């Protein structure tokens, strides 16, 4: 079979949506996001086209941090799998990232999804860190005294200095994660988070806090080791 890998177009949406609706038990986000990605200035959409079947694979490329690429949303239509399409999409994304000056390409895979892990290791990726997601019911948390509560805060040299010497920065390779994208944190990022109303602080430390539908998402925390439990509370 002959395939062409190119940038995505609006005309590809129907074909992409046909095989990216029920990827997981909960569904998928690709079909709903595809057209928005095409209009987003920070997203490149890569699509594999088959002469007869149209769009049969898709992936996205972002630049979340300086000279860093993030690959995500890789999907291949079931009847076109094991044709090397995921490799070709990755190669096209890495080539595009290299042309714009990126020095590293990253991605994330769930720990239970072993086949893609083996595939990307063949492509030259290597595991650098593992991330856990936990939930805490709000009903079980006691309301803290006012002086202990998180409040919006501006960025400061203290936050950056604390982060750089923390075990959480070294254990996570200096990465910050937001909306399923990871990149190397910089002081400019902290300023941007504060501007967006996401950076909060209290005497125990700082955190990125974001309301998401029925939950409060905390995607990054920074504190002295002895204060981490207080910050989590």
């Amino acid at each position: 079979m002959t395939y062409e890998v190119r940038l995505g177009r609006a005309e590809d949406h129907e074909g992409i949506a046909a095989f990216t609706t029920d990827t997981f038990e909960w569904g998928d986000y690709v079909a709903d996001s595809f057209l928005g990605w095409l209009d987003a200035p920070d997203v490149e959409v890569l699509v594999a086209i088959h002469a007869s079947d149209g769009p049969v694979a898709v992936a996205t490329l972002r630049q979340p941090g300086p000279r860093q690429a993030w690959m995500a949303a890789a999907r291949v239509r079931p009847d076109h799998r094991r044709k090397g399409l995921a490799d070709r999409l990755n190669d096209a994304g890495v080539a595009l990232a290299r042309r714009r000056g990126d020095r590293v390409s990253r991605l994330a895979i769930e720990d239970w999804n072993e086949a893609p892990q083996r595939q990307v290791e063949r492509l030259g990726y290597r595991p650098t860190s593992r991330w856990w997601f936990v939930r805490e019911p709000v009903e079980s948390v006691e309301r803290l005294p006012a002086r202990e509560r998180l409040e919006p805060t501006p960025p400061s040299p203290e936050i950056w200095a604390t982060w750089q010497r923390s075990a959480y920065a070294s254990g996570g390779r200096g990465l910050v994660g937001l909306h399923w994208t990871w990149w190397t944190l910089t002081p400019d990022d902290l300023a941007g988070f504060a501007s967006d109303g996401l950076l909060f602080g209290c005497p125990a430390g700082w955190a990125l806090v974001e309301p998401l539908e029925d939950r409060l998402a905390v995607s990054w925390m920074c504190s002295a080791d002895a204060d981490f439990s207080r910050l989590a509370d």
Side-chain angles (χ1 to χ4, degrees):
M1 294 184 180
T2 302
Y3 299 92
E4 173 194 4
V5 175
R6 58 162 172 77
L7 294 178
R9 304 169 184 169
E11 66 201 51
D12 301 326
H13 179 238
E14 183 177 353
I16 295 295
F19 66 90
T20 59
T21 302
D22 299 313
T23 307
F24 308 103
E25 291 183 2
W26 51 266
D28 202 339
Y29 61 88
V30 170
D32 292 337
S33 303
F34 185 85
L35 294 177
W37 286 335
L38 297 181
D39 294 332
D42 63 338
V43 182
E44 299 287 359
V45 182
L46 300 165
V47 174
I49 304 295
H50 181 262
S52 301
D53 293 342
V56 294
V58 63
T60 62
L61 174 73
R62 298 175 182 265
Q63 191 181 46
R67 308 182 80 177
Q68 301 169 71
W70 181 257
M71 299 287 293
R75 307 284 190 271
V76 179
R77 208 172 88 173
D79 58 335
H80 286 267
R81 291 174 183 167
R82 297 179 179 82
K83 308 293 183 182
L85 292 180
D87 290 5
R88 290 189 59 179
L89 289 173
N90 175 81
D91 292 347
V94 169
L96 179 58
R98 185 178 292 115
R99 288 196 298 271
R100 69 186 185 190
D102 294 344
R103 298 296 299 274
V104 61
S105 174
R106 298 187 181 98
L107 49 79
I109 301 173
E110 293 88 345
D111 58 1
W112 54 263
N113 207 353
E114 295 181 357
Q117 293 176 37
R118 293 191 295 269
Q119 175 204 354
V120 300
E121 287 177 358
R122 290 197 302 270
L123 292 171
Y125 292 90
R126 60 185 177 86
T128 57
S129 57
R130 298 185 67 185
W131 299 75
W132 285 264
F133 293 83
V134 297
R135 290 174 179 264
E136 175 73 16
V138 173
E139 293 81 1
S140 68
V141 178
E142 295 183 4
R143 186 168 177 80
L144 295 174
R147 66 181 181 276
E148 292 290 318
R149 297 175 197 161
L150 287 164
E151 299 289 348
T153 188
S156 71
E158 181 186 4
I159 301 176
W160 181 246
T162 304
W163 167 248
Q164 286 190 303
R165 61 175 178 261
S166 72
Y168 317 108
S170 59
R173 302 299 181 101
L175 302 178
V176 62
L178 189 65
H179 304 152
W180 281 94
T181 302
W182 282 261
W183 69 98
T184 303
L185 184 69
T186 68
D188 287 342
D189 290 321
L190 293 177
F193 295 146
S195 177
D196 292 338
L198 302 178
L199 185 62
F200 283 69
C202 71
W206 304 270
L208 292 181
V209 181
E210 183 179 19
L212 293 176
E213 297 179 355
D214 62 342
R215 64 193 188 279
L216 196 68
V218 180
S219 53
W220 174 86
M221 298 171 68
C222 174
S223 75
D225 292 356
D227 292 329
F228 188 81
S229 294
R230 286 175 57 209
L231 178 58
D233 286 342

